[in-house]
Amino acid sequence: MREYIFEPFGLSSMSYGGIEKAFGEIASGYFVDDEGNEINTQPYYANIGVADAPIVSTAKDLGDLFKIIITSPDIPAKVREQLLGESVWVDTDVTGQQYSMGIFSEHVGNEPVYHHNGAEIGYATLNWYLSSKNMVMSAIINCQGYNQCNAEIDKISDKLRDTLFGL
C-alpha cells in the first residue's frame, strides 16, 4: 500500500495499521460494553493490521484517497472499471442506491454522490464525494459499536451530508 498508493498519491499521513507503527500513533477509540465499562480500543488496533480496515489516516488524507479512487486519471482503466464501471453496480435495499466494491452511489436531491462509511469497534469513518462540485467530505469519529455512540454517528452523518448537499 505504501509503494502503490500512499506515496504515489502524496497521502503522507497514511500507514498500514499495526504494521507501520513508525509512521504515527493511532488515536484512541472508545467502546462501551454491556456492563457500561468504557474501553479504549487503541491498544488493540495499534498492534494488529485488520484486513477490512487496515488504514490509519487523518480525515484529510482519507478524503483525498476517496476522491482519488473516484476521479484520478492515474487509476488504471481496468481498476476503474472494476470499481465504478456501469456493469459492476448492484441495487441495494435503499431506493436509488447502488453498491460496488465498497462504494455506494446514489442521488441526493438531483446530485450524484458516492459514499463509503467504515466501522471498527471504537472507530467510524464517513466519506462523501459530490461529483458536480468535485467536493469530498470525510470525518473520523473515535467511538463505535454501542447504541449511544452509533445514534450520535447517525446524527453527525445526517448533518454533514445535509451540509454538503445544501439540504
Side-chain angles (χ1 to χ4, degrees):
M1 288 194 305
R2 175 144 314 283
E3 181 180 346
Y4 293 105
I5 300 169
F6 305 158
E7 290 177 0
F9 290 108
L11 303 168
S12 60
S13 79
M14 287 194 167
S15 63
Y16 193 98
I19 307 299
E20 295 185 318
K21 293 180 189 182
F23 284 91
E25 190 173 333
I26 298 172
S28 293
Y30 297 95
F31 172 77
V32 175
D33 67 16
D34 292 338
E35 288 79 40
N37 300 307
E38 184 178 271
I39 300 166
N40 180 352
T41 61
Q42 185 270 352
Y44 306 104
Y45 291 104
N47 292 299
I48 61 171
V50 293
D52 66 333
I55 296 173
V56 175
S57 177
T58 61
K60 181 196 179 312
D61 273 3
L62 187 63
D64 288 349
L65 175 61
F66 195 59
K67 187 175 179 180
I68 288 164
I69 289 168
I70 295 167
T71 67
S72 176
D74 296 326
I75 302 292
K78 183 177 180 179
V79 173
R80 180 167 308 290
E81 181 62 30
Q82 290 173 331
L83 289 171
L84 304 170
E86 288 185 32
S87 65
V88 299
W89 295 100
V90 176
D91 290 333
T92 69
D93 291 338
V94 176
T95 302
Q97 184 183 79
Q98 296 182 309
Y99 176 83
S100 171
M101 302 290 286
I103 299 173
F104 290 90
S105 173
E106 64 183 295
H107 282 75
V108 176
N110 292 324
E111 299 287 342
V113 61
Y114 296 97
H115 55 96
H116 171 86
N117 298 339
E120 288 291 330
I121 299 298
Y123 302 93
T125 61
L126 310 170
N127 302 280
W128 297 275
Y129 176 74
L130 182 57
S131 300
S132 66
K133 295 182 181 176
N134 192 30
M135 182 189 323
V136 68
M137 185 183 314
S138 293
I140 299 174
I141 300 166
N142 69 334
C143 71
Q144 198 283 325
Y146 57 100
N147 291 338
Q148 181 184 0
C149 176
N150 295 348
E152 293 301 318
I153 291 171
D154 289 344
K155 288 178 192 175
I156 291 167
S157 178
D158 290 347
K159 182 65 175 172
L160 290 174
R161 185 198 65 227
D162 292 352
T163 299
L164 177 64
F165 304 119
L167 301 174

